Amino acid sequence: MSERTAKNWISGSYGATAGHLIELMRHSDTVLAVVLELAGRNEAMTTERLKRIKEELAGVLTTIETICAAEDDQTAG
């Protein structure tokens, strides 16, 4: 998508195609949230956000465990 395309959409000169909208939703949580809200599917966004948060937390916990293990190795050695 080009800047000109986006400007045309914003000005109302041309509308986005379904393919463009799907691509925007794929790359923008804000666009996805607005579309789901307009469709009356807010719960779908909440579920998706919770899945992402859970995955991010799992990554953080793994990092914490790695750091703690490294500190334990240093104090033991």
Side-chain angles (χ1 to χ4, degrees):
M1 176 178 77
S2 70
E3 183 177 338
R4 188 172 93 188
T5 300
K7 286 181 180 180
N8 284 333
W9 292 350
I10 292 168
S11 71
S13 301
Y14 298 97
T17 64
H20 287 127
L21 182 58
I22 290 169
E23 195 64 24
L24 285 170
M25 289 171 23
R26 181 176 291 128
H27 296 285
S28 170
D29 289 341
T30 302
V31 173
L32 176 60
V34 168
V35 170
L36 290 173
E37 183 177 333
L38 292 172
R41 300 291 308 269
N42 292 350
E43 74 282 353
M45 186 63 186
T46 301
T47 301
E48 185 59 34
R49 290 176 87 188
L50 287 173
K51 285 181 191 176
R52 286 190 201 155
I53 290 168
K54 183 179 175 184
E55 290 168 1
E56 289 176 20
L57 284 173
V60 169
L61 288 173
T62 299
T63 301
I64 291 171
E65 289 172 2
T66 302
I67 292 169
C68 289
E71 287 179 1
D72 290 345
D73 289 346
Q74 287 179 353
T75 56

